[in-house]
Amino acid sequence: MRDLKQLWLISIDPNKLKDNGSTLKMQNGSVKVKQLGHHIEAGDNSGRYSNRTNNVEIKKIMDNIPTITSDDLKNATSLYRFPRLSLSRDKVKILQEKFDLKLKRDFHQADYGIVSEKYFDGLFVTRWLSAVDPVAVASWAQIYNDCMEEDLYEEIVEMLNKIPEDAMIVYESEWFSSYSYDNRSNIDRYSKMAEKQRNMGESSKYHYYIESLDQWNNIQTNLSKLVWDTNINDLATEDSEVLTEEMYVQLKTMLGWTKTESGCGWEGNRDKENMNLALAMIANCNIKESHTYLALLFAFLSDSMKDAGIWNSVNFKSVRKKFDVYIQMNGWNWCHVYNYMIEELIKDDALTEYAWKEVAQKMYDDVLSSQMGVDAKNVFSISPESIQLKPELQTKVKSEQLILDDLEAMVDMHTESHRL
């Protein structure tokens, strides 16, 4: 377990000053020094590090949270729910009844603690700050002591001496405008002081820290006991119905889309009651074994789903979070999003022949036909069947027989578990 350094912040605001009409003096209290928490790491100043899941240490923790199975729950007696879960209590109750599990009020008394990415979001703090050497701050204060109130320099030195030698020190400052003080005798000197303090730190970066060291140590010590809420949701639905091709087509229709008279493409017919029923079916199906169809639905129809009343329900949130990468896909009139979707389906081991044909059909409709005018009316013989995967990707397509074998094995496994 890695020890964390204390994180201290030095903040300076030259706008907190006293103006007697002739000179400016930075007043006491304009410089503050305080401990923020314990430093985890600093990310570079590119946009990708603004996202918590892209930094190294925190992602390492999240990646190390294990995935459990029903066999693990057979040997458990209790669960603990951490705050901010995207998991309905009904789903947890299903597992409680199936495996005779109790809910504990104390995490340390439970076999597993259910966590979410939202919970981690609340634990770790991200701020855009500059690292600074406290020696440079002390030197700056000494040089511009004449621009400060009496005793401010000594106050700054005293605060800096409280910072531990091995601490990580960051810095923030406020801009100073001389516009209102043009006639002051020391305005040039004061402005120079403000400019120097503003440029004292290094290049700004995203700094990640945790306010409570006890929380950090608790996570590190009990990492093997943590389990994702999405994992629990999968286990709660493993006895549920697996979506089929027919059910997938039915769900598309319920979400307001039906085949056009020509048989090419879809048209909308919105019915809120049907849409809510469709989302309920999605939330309560076998999430793991229905992954392919759910990925297609979330990729192609998530905008339609958002109009349903239960889109923001806890029960549905737990499913949609698992498929967020598909929900975020957009720009269907451009080829790159189809590349991305095929890659994600392969990564999830969910690319089937049916899924590939659905992707090809949408690409034909939204790119070749709608965007480029390629359809049955022109002189070219181009159809959805003309779109083919590269040979090296065709090997990644799961055969229907393999899927059926997996389903049969799953049925056998659950039958055996119920006999026990």
Side-chain angles (χ1 to χ4, degrees), residues 12-19 25-27 30 173-178 181 190 193-194 197:
I12 301 177
D13 186 357
N15 298 294
K16 292 182 177 179
L17 53 83
K18 285 195 174 178
D19 177 14
K25 294 285 185 179
M26 184 181 284
Q27 67 185 33
S30 57
S173 63
E174 298 294 333
W175 287 79
F176 172 73
S177 173
S178 61
Y181 308 105
Y190 196 92
M193 176 198 69
Q197 65 85 26

Side-chain angles (χ1 to χ4, degrees), residues 355-372:
W356 156 242
K357 288 180 179 178
E358 281 286 280
V359 174
Q361 179 68 58
K362 185 170 179 63
M363 185 175 178
Y364 178 83
D365 293 338
D366 291 11
V367 180
L368 295 178
S369 180
S370 178
Q371 183 82 348
M372 304 178 66

Side-chain angles (χ1 to χ4, degrees), residues 274-290:
N274 270 341
M275 292 168 66
N276 281 328
L277 181 57
L279 265 63
M281 290 172 63
I282 289 171
N284 295 299
C285 73
N286 187 313
I287 306 299
K288 184 178 180 180
E289 300 301 329
S290 305

Side-chain angles (χ1 to χ4, degrees), residues 251 253-256 270-284 304-313 315-316:
L251 285 168
T253 304
M254 294 171 68
L255 288 169
R270 324 284 282 174
D271 181 276
K272 295 297 178 66
E273 187 175 342
N274 270 341
M275 292 168 66
N276 281 328
L277 181 57
L279 265 63
M281 290 172 63
I282 289 171
N284 295 299
S304 179
M305 294 180 190
K306 292 174 185 176
D307 291 335
I310 67 171
W311 170 262
N312 286 316
S313 68
N315 192 32
F316 192 75

Side-chain angles (χ1 to χ4, degrees), residues 320-339:
R320 84 176 207 225
K321 185 176 73 171
K322 186 178 180 69
F323 292 87
D324 187 63
V325 67
Y326 295 97
I327 295 173
Q328 298 304 323
M329 293 179 183
N330 56 70
W332 295 105
N333 56 336
W334 297 97
C335 182
H336 67 86
V337 69
Y338 299 92
N339 291 335

Side-chain angles (χ1 to χ4, degrees), residues 80 89 93 113 115 118 162 177 191 198 206 224 242 244 254 325 334 352 417:
Y80 174 81
R89 295 188 180 276
K93 191 173 182 179
V115 293
K118 284 184 180 179
K162 293 179 180 179
S177 173
S191 296
R198 191 173 65 245
Y206 288 103
S224 62
V242 178
T244 63
M254 294 171 68
V325 67
W334 297 97
T352 63
S417 66

Side-chain angles (χ1 to χ4, degrees), residues 166-230:
D166 62 344
M168 177 70 186
I169 305 166
V170 289
Y171 172 76
E172 66 178 2
S173 63
E174 298 294 333
W175 287 79
F176 172 73
S177 173
S178 61
Y179 178 77
S180 302
Y181 308 105
D182 286 345
N183 297 325
R184 307 308 183 265
S185 61
N186 70 334
I187 186 60
D188 290 340
R189 174 76 173 164
Y190 196 92
S191 296
K192 189 70 174 177
M193 176 198 69
E195 180 185 357
K196 288 291 185 181
Q197 65 85 26
R198 191 173 65 245
N199 299 320
M200 217 163 9
E202 299 176 6
S203 297
S204 296
K205 296 181 179 181
Y206 288 103
H207 288 266
Y208 300 87
Y209 63 94
I210 190 166
E211 294 176 336
S212 169
L213 186 60
D214 289 339
Q215 284 181 317
W216 170 265
N217 291 334
N218 199 27
I219 289 171
Q220 296 282 59
T221 303
N222 297 287
L223 201 59
S224 62
K225 289 179 57 176
L226 299 180
V227 57
W228 288 117
D229 54 355
T230 51

